[in-house]
Amino acid sequence: MYKVVIGLEVHCEVKTNSKNFSSARNTYSEYPNENIDTTDLGLPGILPVANKEAFKKSLKMALALNCKTPDVVMFDRKNYYYPDLPKGYQITQETKPVGKNGYVMINVNGEDKKILINNIHLEEDTASLDHFKDYSLIDYNRAGVPLLETVTEPCMHSSDEAIAFLESLKGIFLYTGVSDARTDKGEMRVDVNISLSKDDTLGTRTEMKNINSFNSVRLAIETEIKRQKEILENGGVILQETRRFDEDTLTTHSLRSKVDAVDYKYYIEPNIPPIKITDEWINEIKSEIPMLQFERVEKYINDYGLSRYDATILVKDKNVSDYFEETVKLGVDPKSSSNFITSIILGYLNKNELNIEKLYLTPKMLVDLINMVNDGKISSKQSKEVFLKCVSDKKEPKEVVKELGLTQITDDKTIRDIVVRLLDERPDLIEDHRKGKNTFDYFVGQVMKKTRGKANPVLTRDIINEEMEKR
Amino acid sequence: MKTIMYLRKDLDEKKVTSDELFNDAIDKAHKYQEEFNSFVTIMDKKEEKDSNSLISGIPYALKDNFSTKGILTTASSNILKDYVPVYDATAYKKLKDAGAVLVGKTVLDELAMGGTGTTGHTGIVRNPWDKTRQIGGSSAGSAAAVALGIVPFSIGSDTGDSIRKPAAFGGVVGFKPTYGRISRYGLFAFASSLDHVGCFARCVRDAAIVTDILKGQDERDMTSLPDEDIKYTDVIDNDIKGKKLFYIKEITDKTLYKDAGEETLEILNKFQETIEECKKLGFIVEEVSFDEKLLKAIYPSYMTISSAEATSNNSNLTGIPFGPRGEGSSINKIMFDARTKGFSELIKRRFILGSYILQRENQERLFKNAERLRHLIVDKMNELYKTYDAMILPASGGVAPKFDNEIDRMSDRYLILENHMAIGNFGGFPSITIPNGFVNGMPIGINITGRVFEDALTLNIANKIEEALGYKGLIKEEYDV
């Protein structure tokens, strides 16, 4: 049996107005070379101006990943020649990354696990290249976009763990507002390092770069594990190299070996003077970090008695989780709220491709609706009808209930009068009932029919029972 | 002897128009071009922008490594021989806004690397005082244009002594203020941690006038300093009695130069005479001792750091986004071809050195050690600046050298005396060279290097010494040696 060891390097674009070192816009554009300025083209004489917001967000992420932060803002140059890098060097952080030695708690198939973060550093994205048969096109829109690279320790042992980590990391990006982390727009890209070994020593690792979706990461890991396993089982040796994952054929191919590794000649970027990171700044940023997914799940399970399944669904989107918490704060039973949100609201949002922020029903309105059910004023079945009408007509639940005339009949005398009349009409069925035939449900049905479903079902059944006994 | 103030007066009194000044400058520029080769580009159209500044309507020349929108900017390199920038350097923009009139873009040593004025892609620049001699570099054309009397001032860049050395060889004033005082935005980077923008002028007052225009914080240059609430021209006449100057024994002591020629000894004699003049002016001047090992480290440290940074800074010159496109069957071959054809042998040598210096296995031993030496030298200077207001030294150990085959090779045959001005770049100290008379019919200079941020005091000291020495506005044509 081989022990699999996986380390990940995750690149994620930071959400800012402008680029990391220039004033060009940082936004997705379908037109090439629209969001560029002199700096992004590496024209002679340009100077980088560090984007404070990008750095602040990077610090926020570092703190959310429980990293140690440096005393000063500092950048380094990574030197290499490629047309996607117009300056001939990338401004990155080697000497003093924005975060070091952190961790993320994840839950894999019900078990908690700590994933160690080696470092997280802020750099600039490269231009994108499109290669054709005898020419290539360069789009500098992406050049200079702030990019946060999170580097884990080699501490994961399965594709499940890797995916759970990536989901958690994405969650933290979304919760902190640092990035939209959209893999479909290339905002989040993953490098995977894998090695196999029979004992606790690390085996020779291979690397696969720039994988664009979590599902591809899973496939790539599994494909590469299989390949390495086969080689080792046949007495072969794994070469340290960069490999390309081919999703169509589910195979990996050698790109370049370690021997060809580039020396990036890192040195401190001289155009950005070190800026002190004060305790005040750190504290201010810390105070802006909300409670994250992992802690929320723990809280929902332990304090609210929710299932892990429901808790996990609720925290997937921070806005949904915040919405849920707001209802709890307003005094509603967490379980009722969770049930309503997970079974009715999320279904509605999914079906209509809406975000919860766009939902007309406020947490307060949901609490009103749930309270009406709990007070027996409407049935839980009716509550869904009320919800749908609330959001379609943009009206408050109380108003909708009134309009639909949905309020339950819980008055004993009203129901009893109906029951007595019904029993009077059909003495034959009472007789059948005594003989053991089930005619009870007929009477329940009739009461519902006469009240158009508004009679409280429990009360109705009790009264029918009582009245039948009397005869 | 036409200084900025002189021309200002003429303009204000309508004795001359700015058009006449421009045309006169252009005529002179063309007249001297073949002989001295100061310019890469001579303007044929006058920039029209009026302002109330002292330099409004006054012609000037700009080193051809400042980005000028719509005007060819070559850095005197083949790889940029057709490059027309799309944006203005901050220094250029400030001059334009102040109404100064650009006469032309001046020749430099290729990419500002070198100190001879002989490596530009359009040919060598000659010394106005003796055509068989160099003017020095790298701001060769800017120095020559002022020394020839084409323009009253010009702009250069200074990474080791690229303004202050040619100023000395040309008999003009050369000033680079504190690092960050003038924005580097738009200056083609050579070695970013050492690069300074500065100026050439015919007198210290003019250098102060120009620096007053150029200085100031620039949001495009993070290393630029916050604005000062001071005008240098207002303070350069302040009383300097009791101000303390020092010179370094290990550099100026004649007994250390047993094998030196007459010329060097003459320069050291002139320096001592000037020290005596300074004392008469009321300065306290003292000789101090400076660890010779550190002094010997200046040149190698400078070459190590600057070559390393230059390699990285010039990595944008690939012919891909701009510049002449290379040929080849792959992207790497295309870039390789462009760089092979675009750079001279000397530049390639620096890049290879710089690359070697930055390699992982060498960086600690070479780059980091050079940085450590730089810091030790700066620390020692700052210690001295606790006692003294400025350092005063000869700008060079000789007069402008003759042209010969020895061009900027990094040989062991260097002198501390020849390379100490890089101290000003190491520490970002304000540093100015002013004329100190003649040796063998050629101008020589003295250098005054002040405390960091104290540009005002440095200019004040230089102005007072200049007044006493009387070597002001030296132009070959007008000066009877």
Side-chain angles (χ1 to χ4, degrees):
Chain A
M1 214 27 216
Y2 290 98
K3 189 177 176 187
V4 176
V5 178
I6 302 168
L8 298 176
E9 290 165 28
V10 186
H11 293 86
C12 199
E13 291 184 352
V14 182
K15 195 161 63 174
T16 52
N17 290 330
S18 56
K19 290 187 180 180
N20 213 0
F21 302 106
S22 87
S23 52
R25 285 195 307 155
N26 171 20
T27 179
Y28 186 78
S29 170
E30 43 188 306
Y31 300 103
N33 297 311
E34 191 181 36
N35 300 325
I36 54 171
D37 82 351
T38 49
T39 305
D40 307 316
L41 294 175
L43 294 180
I46 52 98
L47 293 172
V49 178
N51 183 331
K52 195 178 172 190
E53 183 64 14
F55 196 82
K56 190 188 156 180
K57 285 196 158 135
S58 305
L59 264 178
K60 199 175 189 179
M61 195 61 192
L63 292 167
L65 297 181
N66 306 293
C67 287
K68 285 179 189 62
T69 53
D71 53 344
V72 288
V73 180
M74 197 186 252
F75 291 94
D76 300 84
R77 284 188 188 180
K78 179 180 180 177
N79 296 283
Y80 66 95
Y81 290 95
Y82 204 65
D84 67 0
L85 194 67
K87 293 195 292 292
Y89 57 84
Q90 179 190 37
I91 303 179
T92 178
Q93 295 185 306
E94 173 80 359
T95 315
K96 294 201 170 183
V98 67
K100 260 177 144 170
N101 302 328
Y103 65 87
V104 185
M105 292 304 297
I106 65 167
N107 188 283
V108 197
N109 307 324
E111 266 183 60
D112 288 351
K113 198 176 160 71
K114 194 183 214 176
I115 302 297
L116 301 176
I117 305 297
N118 177 289
N119 79 80
I120 172 166
H121 58 268
L122 177 61
E123 55 191 31
E124 52 181 340
D125 213 341
T126 55
S128 33
L129 294 178
D130 274 328
H131 299 292
F132 297 90
K133 194 166 165 287
D134 45 12
Y135 64 97
S136 299
L137 297 177
I138 311 176
D139 177 2
Y140 292 101
N141 277 345
R142 206 182 65 186
V145 163
L147 198 63
L148 252 184
E149 181 174 347
T150 310
V151 182
T152 73
E153 294 291 349
C155 64
M156 283 161 275
H157 304 294
S158 67
S159 55
D160 278 358
E161 282 186 14
I163 300 303
F165 166 73
L166 289 173
E167 295 283 4
S168 299
L169 190 70
K170 181 173 177 166
I172 297 172
F173 273 116
L174 293 173
Y175 266 58
T176 50
V178 170
S179 173
D180 291 335
R182 288 189 59 167
T183 46
D184 58 334
K185 285 184 180 172
E187 289 174 355
M188 197 171 179
R189 309 187 298 265
V190 185
D191 298 348
V192 182
N193 287 284
I194 302 183
S195 69
L196 265 58
S197 99
K198 281 207 150 159
D199 48 38
D200 281 342
T201 60
L202 282 175
T204 306
R205 70 188 155 90
T206 60
E207 183 175 38
M208 291 175 287
K209 282 182 172 292
N210 267 323
I211 307 177
N212 270 323
S213 79
F214 292 179
N215 192 44
S216 302
V217 170
R218 180 186 292 280
L219 291 173
I221 289 174
E222 283 162 8
T223 305
E224 181 59 14
I225 290 174
K226 204 173 136 220
R227 185 190 72 90
Q228 290 194 15
K229 211 178 205 170
E230 274 169 17
I231 292 173
L232 292 171
E233 274 167 359
N234 292 318
V237 183
I238 304 296
L239 299 173
Q240 187 170 343
E241 59 188 358
T242 302
R243 301 184 67 84
R244 188 177 63 84
F245 172 57
D246 185 337
E247 204 166 333
D248 297 329
T249 58
L250 289 185
T251 49
T252 67
H253 306 278
S254 180
L255 274 181
R256 59 174 177 270
S257 74
K258 175 77 165 51
V259 196
D260 306 326
V262 191
D263 176 358
Y264 291 117
K265 306 189 185 85
Y266 288 100
Y267 79 101
I268 290 168
E269 167 59 58
N271 292 313
I272 303 175
I275 299 161
K276 201 167 160 38
I277 299 173
T278 61
D279 290 345
E280 289 79 17
W281 202 21
I282 291 285
N283 290 334
E284 181 199 317
I285 294 169
K286 267 187 185 161
S287 71
E288 290 170 11
I289 300 174
M291 187 189 271
L292 301 173
Q293 282 175 327
F294 185 86
E295 287 75 24
R296 289 195 195 207
V297 168
E298 297 296 297
K299 181 172 139 190
Y300 295 176
I301 295 172
N302 298 330
D303 299 358
Y304 299 159
L306 304 188
S307 68
R308 176 169 295 278
Y309 181 79
D310 285 344
T312 309
I313 291 177
L314 285 174
V315 302
K316 208 164 162 85
D317 178 346
K318 177 172 176 289
N319 291 318
V320 171
S321 178
D322 288 347
Y323 185 99
F324 164 70
E325 293 193 4
E326 188 60 32
T327 65
V328 174
K329 215 181 273 174
L330 290 167
V332 82
D333 163 44
K335 267 189 176 168
S336 307
S337 174
S338 164
N339 284 341
F340 199 97
I341 293 171
T342 55
S343 62
I344 295 168
I345 296 185
L346 290 182
Y348 167 82
L349 292 174
N350 275 339
K351 198 176 146 201
N352 295 286
E353 290 179 351
L354 289 174
N355 298 323
I356 201 156
E357 311 97 273
K358 295 266 159 65
L359 190 70
Y360 175 74
L361 194 83
T362 62
K364 173 79 178 63
M365 294 182 206
L366 178 59
V367 170
D368 289 346
L369 188 54
I370 291 171
N371 283 340
M372 280 190 266
V373 177
N374 289 348
D375 296 348
K377 281 187 183 141
I378 56 170
S379 69
S380 65
K381 205 177 146 200
Q382 286 168 337
S383 67
K384 183 173 180 182
E385 195 187 338
V386 174
F387 164 75
L388 291 172
K389 201 154 169 60
C390 281
V391 293
S392 67
D393 296 0
K394 296 204 185 325
K395 281 179 178 159
E396 295 227 8
K398 278 174 189 162
E399 218 176 319
V400 170
V401 166
K402 205 185 272 172
E403 266 180 36
L404 291 176
L406 278 183
T407 314
Q408 271 195 353
I409 301 167
T410 50
D411 176 48
D412 188 291
K413 183 156 183 308
T414 315
I415 297 172
R416 202 171 290 275
D417 288 351
I418 297 167
V419 170
V420 169
R421 219 178 312 137
L422 282 168
L423 293 178
D424 288 349
E425 282 168 13
R426 298 298 297 268
D428 54 321
L429 290 180
I430 302 172
E431 203 53 37
D432 286 354
H433 177 70
R434 291 213 177 102
K435 284 176 186 159
K437 216 172 156 188
N438 182 12
T439 56
F440 185 84
D441 286 346
Y442 167 78
F443 288 111
V444 176
Q446 287 301 308
V447 173
M448 289 301 166
K449 204 174 164 188
K450 291 213 180 308
T451 59
R452 278 184 316 188
K454 285 193 284 185
N456 182 306
V458 179
L459 192 59
T460 306
R461 295 179 87 89
D462 287 351
I463 293 170
I464 296 172
N465 250 329
E466 279 172 37
E467 289 300 321
M468 276 185 157
E469 290 300 310
K470 281 187 198 163
R471 309 238 166 173
Chain B
M1 187 189 68
K2 285 176 179 170
T3 62
I4 292 174
M5 285 314 288
Y6 185 100
L7 295 173
R8 176 82 270 139
K9 198 159 163 277
D10 278 2
L11 281 167
D12 291 347
E13 289 170 3
K14 311 231 185 295
K15 286 183 185 158
V16 69
T17 67
S18 128
D19 282 356
E20 283 164 359
L21 287 181
F22 175 71
N23 291 332
D24 181 46
I26 295 294
D27 288 349
K28 276 188 184 152
H30 283 294
K31 185 175 111 191
Y32 291 128
Q33 182 59 14
E34 207 187 313
E35 232 176 324
F36 297 98
N37 189 38
S38 303
F39 293 94
V40 177
T41 302
I42 298 171
M43 301 293 284
D44 47 24
K45 233 179 83 193
K46 183 170 168 269
E47 287 170 341
E48 300 283 357
K49 183 141 188 181
D50 262 352
S51 96
N52 296 323
S53 88
L54 288 174
I55 58 169
S56 183
I58 291 180
Y60 76 101
L62 184 62
K63 192 174 179 179
D64 206 27
N65 59 349
F66 285 85
S67 192
T68 47
K69 187 176 177 177
I71 302 167
L72 183 74
T73 306
T74 66
S76 287
S77 179
N78 275 316
I79 205 156
L80 290 166
K81 65 182 168 51
D82 299 312
Y83 175 68
V84 178
V86 296
Y87 77 99
D88 284 341
T90 300
Y92 171 56
K93 191 173 180 303
K94 285 194 164 192
L95 292 167
K96 202 164 38 169
D97 290 346
V101 181
L102 182 66
V103 167
K105 302 287 296 283
T106 60
V107 174
L108 53 148
D109 278 303
E110 183 173 0
L111 299 167
M113 286 179 237
T116 60
T118 61
T119 66
H121 75 309
T122 56
I124 61 172
V125 183
R126 293 177 185 275
N127 193 310
W129 296 88
D130 179 350
K131 273 186 285 181
T132 67
R133 292 178 188 270
Q134 302 171 2
I135 180 71
S138 65
S139 308
S142 284
V146 174
L148 285 165
I150 298 170
V151 284
F153 76 95
S154 66
I155 306 301
S157 64
D158 187 316
T159 305
D161 54 22
S162 280
I163 288 174
R164 294 160 294 156
K165 186 62 78 67
F169 290 161
V172 298
V173 170
F175 176 52
K176 73 145 204 76
T178 300
Y179 185 78
R181 188 66 77 205
I182 302 176
S183 167
R184 288 180 293 119
Y185 180 70
L187 166 67
F188 294 9
F190 163 12
S192 310
S193 75
L194 299 164
D195 289 347
H196 293 65
V197 175
C199 63
F200 295 89
R202 290 181 194 171
C203 61
V204 175
R205 186 175 307 277
D206 282 3
I209 289 171
V210 175
T211 310
D212 273 333
I213 300 285
L214 291 175
K215 68 181 178 160
Q217 192 158 25
D218 181 4
E219 57 175 20
R220 289 187 171 274
D221 178 359
M222 289 187 80
T223 64
S224 63
L225 295 170
D227 293 342
E228 291 173 299
D229 193 16
I230 189 173
K231 271 180 83 178
Y232 298 149
T233 40
D234 290 345
V235 298
I236 58 169
D237 295 311
N238 284 358
D239 187 14
I240 44 72
K241 273 202 181 60
K243 294 289 176 201
K244 295 181 82 173
L245 306 179
F246 74 93
Y247 59 91
I248 296 171
K249 177 177 166 35
E250 287 72 16
I251 293 179
T252 56
D253 189 344
K254 273 204 293 184
T255 62
L256 298 169
Y257 294 87
K258 290 196 183 78
D259 303 326
E262 277 301 312
E263 194 178 275
T264 301
L265 296 176
E266 183 64 21
I267 283 171
L268 293 171
N269 280 337
K270 293 281 284 183
F271 175 71
Q272 284 305 335
E273 286 168 22
T274 298
I275 293 300
E276 292 312 311
E277 277 299 320
C278 290
K279 286 177 182 165
K280 274 187 224 157
L281 282 170
F283 285 107
I284 297 162
V285 192
E286 289 173 357
E287 182 182 79
V288 302
S289 192
F290 202 110
D291 186 346
E292 199 163 351
K293 285 205 286 290
L294 282 182
L295 294 174
K296 278 183 176 160
I298 294 171
Y299 184 66
S301 306
Y302 166 74
M303 283 310 294
T304 303
I305 295 166
S306 65
S307 301
E309 290 192 27
T311 306
S312 174
N313 277 332
N314 288 290
S315 298
N316 61 337
L317 305 176
T318 57
I320 299 285
F322 56 88
R325 182 66 61 89
E327 286 164 17
S329 54
S330 72
I331 280 168
N332 278 329
K333 282 178 184 154
I334 290 168
M335 294 193 288
F336 191 92
D337 185 53
R339 290 174 69 84
T340 301
K341 288 174 184 159
F343 299 127
S344 70
E345 183 215 352
L346 283 169
I347 296 297
K348 285 175 201 162
R349 186 196 298 257
R350 292 230 196 191
F351 289 165
I352 290 165
L353 271 178
S355 213
Y356 180 80
I357 288 159
L358 281 178
Q359 267 170 18
R360 199 183 297 131
E361 60 269 35
N362 305 325
Q363 201 179 110
E364 186 62 34
R365 183 170 51 91
L366 297 173
F367 189 63
K368 297 261 171 73
N369 271 340
E371 293 275 19
R372 285 181 194 109
L373 283 164
R374 174 181 180 175
H375 284 127
L376 286 174
I377 292 162
V378 171
D379 286 350
K380 173 70 184 169
M381 286 298 289
N382 283 330
E383 199 188 300
L384 287 164
Y385 282 135
K386 282 181 191 159
T387 312
Y388 301 98
D389 297 294
M391 171 171 80
I392 180 164
L393 286 172
S396 167
V399 300
K402 292 250 185 193
F403 292 108
D404 56 23
N405 292 326
E406 192 209 23
I407 41 169
D408 193 41
R409 306 231 182 226
M410 282 163 273
S411 67
D412 293 335
R413 204 175 61 77
Y414 66 85
L415 291 165
I416 299 169
L417 184 52
E418 213 50 63
N419 297 296
H420 65 80
M421 283 195 291
I423 290 175
N425 304 77
F426 280 2
F429 306 122
S431 185
I432 186 166
T433 294
I434 60 173
N436 192 32
F438 297 84
V439 168
N440 297 335
M442 289 300 292
I444 59 166
I446 46 161
N447 177 259
I448 296 138
T449 298
R451 241 179 251 126
V452 76
F453 308 131
E454 295 201 5
D455 306 276
L457 181 59
T458 307
L459 287 165
N460 181 194
I461 292 169
N463 187 46
K464 286 294 178 178
I465 298 175
E466 180 189 65
E467 259 173 30
L469 297 177
Y471 301 116
K472 201 165 161 178
L474 303 182
I475 292 170
K476 173 80 164 115
E477 262 191 2
E478 301 164 10
Y479 195 86
D480 192 22
V481 181

